[in-house]
Amino acid sequence: MKRFVLLDTAAIPTGGALCLFEYGDDFVIKIQGGNGNQLMNTRTHGSEDALAEIPCKRIAARAQARVLIGGLGMGFTLASALRHLGPDAEVLVAELVPGVIEWNRGALGEKSGHPLRDSRAKVLNQDVAELLQDQAQGFDAIMLDVDNGPEGLTQKSNSWLYSLDGLNACARALRPSGVLAVWSASADRAFSDKLAKAGFKAEEVQVFAHGNRGTRHTIWIAEKRKR
């Protein structure tokens, strides 16, 4: 019988901690002291793959494409971006929790194919919100997966990123016709309206978490409008 085996705990700089568990052949990340729900696991990552696949396919033909991923997670979004971009691309990942970076460099990284070993990938132990404000027209695509959705459910400090100010910062950080992709556990009409106010033409895409049935997650694909 499979059981959860705690492997490590990593402090979140803004408060709280994440816990890495082994569960049979898979890994699971939970919030320490939370309700027991899984933040992510290595078995169901279809929507994390799609978070990078959809926008990267749109900008893959650009020379020296440069993209930003907010949140390393279990490495699947990074791995997907690398699969869909050319050899001259650069993929920058901002991860707030140092322990998550170390987990991906160890046994956890095997599940996603060790994308951090790819020379096109660079990971920074930094808040993606800070990085966005220092990169005017620096990226062809931005992918955000730093929380459960637009309300900053895991960390209230994430709420700015999903605010109108945060989305305006994303727009400024994107090159002309750049693409912003945002992951969420559920749909949110108010967030779609907010994207429009920030100058994006957005659509909601429903993606299965695993295979082609069961739980669906929402990904907003928002193209920067010309101004």
Side-chain angles (χ1 to χ4, degrees):
M1 182 177 179
K2 293 192 294 185
R3 62 187 182 90
F4 288 98
V5 179
L6 179 63
L7 299 179
D8 197 13
T9 300
I12 302 171
T14 54
L18 298 177
C19 298
L20 176 67
F21 292 89
E22 188 176 50
Y23 184 65
D25 293 330
D26 293 300
F27 294 98
V28 173
I29 293 178
K30 299 182 182 183
I31 296 178
Q32 187 179 51
N35 57 12
N37 290 341
Q38 300 179 20
L39 281 182
M40 59 195 85
N41 64 68
T42 54
R43 183 174 178 272
T44 57
H45 54 85
S47 59
E48 285 88 343
D49 297 343
L51 178 65
E53 177 180 356
I54 298 171
C56 287
K57 280 185 174 180
R58 295 190 183 189
I59 58 96
R62 301 185 187 187
Q64 297 180 319
R66 189 167 186 255
V67 306
L68 170 65
I69 298 174
L72 176 59
M74 291 184 153
F76 292 107
T77 299
L78 171 58
S80 179
L82 293 168
R83 284 197 302 272
H84 294 96
L85 292 173
D88 63 345
E90 178 184 6
V91 184
L92 195 61
V93 184
E95 173 53 54
L96 185 63
V97 183
V100 170
I101 298 173
E102 293 309 309
W103 294 344
N104 275 272
R105 286 178 172 149
L108 174 60
E110 295 178 9
K111 294 294 185 178
S112 57
H114 282 297
L116 287 179
R117 296 177 181 176
D118 193 304
S119 61
R120 295 171 294 168
K122 180 180 180 181
V123 62
L124 298 176
N125 179 206
Q126 187 175 353
D127 189 334
V128 68
E130 296 176 357
L131 185 60
L132 280 170
Q133 298 175 75
D134 191 38
Q135 293 281 337
Q137 295 196 13
F139 303 103
D140 295 288
I142 297 170
M143 292 143 270
L144 300 179
D145 184 9
V146 299
D147 213 306
N148 278 354
E151 295 182 357
L153 298 177
T154 302
Q155 291 286 316
K156 292 302 180 185
S157 58
N158 290 333
S159 295
W160 178 86
L161 195 56
Y162 301 104
S163 70
L164 185 57
D165 285 344
L167 295 177
N168 281 328
C170 289
R172 289 191 295 271
L174 283 169
R175 293 168 178 167
S177 299
V179 182
L180 170 66
V182 182
W183 185 96
S184 177
S186 58
D188 186 328
R189 177 57 187 272
F191 187 64
S192 296
D193 295 340
K194 201 178 293 183
L195 282 164
K197 290 180 181 178
F200 289 100
K201 180 181 179 181
E203 60 178 309
E204 288 185 24
V205 180
Q206 300 297 313
V207 181
F208 287 107
H210 180 67
N212 58 3
R213 61 182 178 180
T215 303
R216 293 190 187 209
H217 295 148
T218 298
I219 299 174
W220 282 272
I221 302 297
E223 184 173 325
K224 180 180 177 179
R225 290 194 181 112
K226 296 180 181 179
R227 293 185 176 180

